[in-house]
Amino acid sequence: MKKILCITLIIVLQSCSSNDDSNVVTAPVATDISVSSSVSLINWTASIDLQQKLDIALSYDYGAALISETVKQTNFNADTTQVITTINFIAAVQNAYTDTNLSNNSVTINLIKNIENPVPEGVELKADGPGSTYDLITSVLAPGQNPIETPDCNHTAFGNHIDELFDTDLNTNVFRFFIHTTPDNDRCINFDRQRNEIKTYSQSPDNLLGIENETVIYKWKFKLKAGFQSSPNFTHLHQLKSVGGALESMPMYTLTTRKGTPDKLQLRYAETDSQITVEEAELAPFIDTWLEVTETIKYGTSGTYAIEIKNISDDSVLFEYSNNTIINWRPEASFVRPKWGIYRSLINQQDLRDEEVLFADFSITEI
């Protein structure tokens, strides 16, 4: 028997190249990251104002790097008169990049805080509890003067027609304005109407008077009690009146209730000596609930106006109106003043009853 010899030949092929990918060292990527500013000086009034201005002024260039591979820092000096903003690579990639120009990795901005013209703060009139109500109102709206127009002169037996009480719904003190169908009148001057209002006027501080090209925000709360009755003629709750010139007797804006089918809450406007209704709503949802009003007006011949009335209990908006092209200044006017309270016609006295209108938290903020 023949034997067969089997030989297995194994050939190993090996590259002659001496390169080994595992030992390759990649050179850092050369790139230029930088930060710059469009301004060298920022005037600011509050932290949020400063941050917004910095966000606008600063620009960053990330070169070939990803944003996530960089870190930006902003450092203020102790008295906040200077800020230095820098950009660098994060630690994890510092060996992967070479910054070709380190000189533009930081920028310095000088800061000036505007102390003379700080962020506007409103002048507030808040009830503080029974007693000395007239003194409180006067101390805010016209210190040492008389910003109150009540029917006290013809109804001395009743006493003061504005007082204060604690309201459990708002959990704070509020003002109560009284008006009686008889014998109340309009300051013993006019007898076909009744007035119980507070106001700013010529003797008030300048920051409580609206002037041309100024924007003012008026805020307040009020409540009309259940069963509130309106005149078919007028029952004003708020007015903006210009002072000076031939048109000063006509309110520029009036918030008024009016008897009808149904009763209405109306916003009335007069460019000259004739009023029109620019917005109205059924009065029923405004009765027996606390309401919050925000009224914003830019005074001028190219003025703007906006009003919003919210139900405080659920924050729902019950009434709103705005106009960005409206005339809010009369010829020869000196200023505009606000009024709040109840001012109503007696021509249809049979439609009225004795009323108590509640007000709270008046504020006037000039911008």
Side-chain angles (χ1 to χ4, degrees):
M1 173 183 274
K2 292 183 179 178
K3 292 182 180 181
I4 300 174
L5 181 63
C6 294
I7 300 174
T8 301
L9 181 63
I10 299 175
I11 300 174
V12 178
L13 299 176
Q14 184 172 353
S15 172
C16 295
S17 173
S18 60
N19 292 334
D20 187 344
D21 290 342
S22 63
N23 295 322
V24 172
V25 177
T26 304
V29 176
T31 191
D32 181 18
I33 59 174
S34 64
V35 57
S36 60
S37 174
S38 59
V39 298
S40 59
L41 176 67
I42 290 178
N43 286 279
W44 63 286
T45 55
S47 297
I48 187 170
D49 171 52
L50 175 57
Q51 189 58 57
Q52 289 174 345
K53 289 180 176 179
L54 283 173
D55 290 343
I56 294 171
L58 294 171
S59 300
Y60 297 92
D61 189 338
Y62 304 98
L66 301 174
I67 295 177
S68 60
E69 294 177 319
T70 64
V71 58
K72 301 180 287 290
Q73 293 182 323
T74 301
N75 297 303
F76 296 89
N77 63 355
D79 59 0
T80 323
T81 59
Q82 195 175 78
V83 61
I84 299 176
T85 299
T86 61
I87 183 172
N88 289 295
F89 293 109
I90 62 174
V93 300
Q94 284 182 354
N95 293 329
Y97 294 97
T98 296
D99 195 340
T100 58
N101 185 7
L102 295 174
S103 64
N104 59 11
N105 281 20
S106 69
V107 64
T108 300
I109 303 174
N110 293 314
L111 307 173
I112 297 179
K113 187 172 184 179
N114 191 348
I115 298 175
E116 293 183 357
N117 297 292
V119 174
E121 294 183 2
V123 175
E124 295 183 335
L125 172 59
K126 291 178 175 289
D128 60 6
S132 302
T133 301
Y134 286 10
D135 291 339
L136 172 62
I137 295 170
T138 298
S139 70
V140 175
L141 297 185
Q145 304 300 323
N146 184 22
I148 303 170
E149 299 178 339
T150 71
D152 294 356
C153 65
N154 199 49
H155 197 179
T156 56
F158 180 79
N160 291 351
H161 278 66
I162 306 175
D163 68 2
E164 298 166 76
L165 74 161
F166 186 83
D167 184 84
T168 54
D169 291 334
L170 293 184
N171 196 34
T172 191
N173 292 296
V174 302
F175 296 101
R176 175 170 50 183
F177 287 59
F178 294 96
I179 202 76
H180 308 94
T181 55
T182 184
D184 293 354
N185 58 41
D186 180 10
R187 301 162 294 164
C188 296
I189 300 173
N190 301 305
F191 301 92
D192 63 343
R193 63 196 64 192
Q194 302 173 309
R195 185 193 304 271
N196 187 9
E197 293 183 310
I198 62 175
K199 65 182 181 180
T200 68
Y201 71 127
S202 60
Q203 303 303 310
S204 299
D206 289 345
N207 61 335
L208 300 183
L209 306 176
I211 61 175
E212 192 171 10
N213 298 319
E214 180 178 61
T215 300
V216 183
I217 301 174
Y218 302 99
K219 289 187 177 183
W220 70 96
K221 299 181 178 76
F222 75 99
K223 181 179 181 179
L224 306 176
K225 290 194 172 183
F228 182 85
Q229 294 178 206
S230 304
S231 166
N233 305 98
F234 66 87
T235 304
H236 298 336
L237 302 172
H238 167 63
Q239 302 177 68
L240 292 177
K241 296 194 70 176
S242 60
V243 176
L247 300 172
E248 69 174 4
S249 63
M250 173 61 71
M252 187 182 302
Y253 289 93
T254 307
L255 192 64
T256 191
T257 68
R258 196 177 303 275
K259 181 180 179 180
T261 308
D263 292 354
K264 296 289 184 67
L265 177 70
Q266 298 178 330
L267 177 66
R268 305 271 291 169
Y269 165 73
E271 179 181 330
T272 55
D273 58 356
S274 178
Q275 271 195 338
I276 60 171
T277 298
V278 294
E279 190 64 46
E280 65 179 11
E282 289 189 20
L283 185 61
F286 300 85
I287 300 295
D288 201 30
T289 187
W290 273 103
L291 306 160
E292 183 175 49
V293 186
T294 301
E295 180 182 44
T296 305
I297 181 168
K298 179 185 177 183
Y299 291 111
T301 53
S302 299
T304 63
Y305 180 87
I307 189 170
E308 179 186 79
I309 304 178
K310 296 197 302 185
N311 187 327
I312 292 177
S313 64
D314 60 9
D315 210 36
S316 60
V317 176
L318 302 181
F319 189 96
E320 57 185 340
Y321 171 80
S322 64
N323 191 322
N324 290 326
T325 55
I326 193 165
I327 295 174
N328 289 333
W329 199 255
R330 270 80 177 274
E332 300 179 358
S334 300
F335 60 87
V336 178
R337 58 188 175 121
K339 305 186 77 175
W340 294 276
I342 183 166
Y343 173 42
R344 65 185 184 179
S345 170
L346 283 175
I347 293 175
N348 289 283
Q349 188 172 340
Q350 72 280 359
D351 292 316
L352 307 177
R353 68 170 193 176
D354 293 350
E355 295 288 358
E356 298 177 14
V357 181
L358 303 180
F359 286 89
D361 301 341
F362 300 97
S363 73
I364 302 173
T365 305
E366 291 186 342
I367 301 177

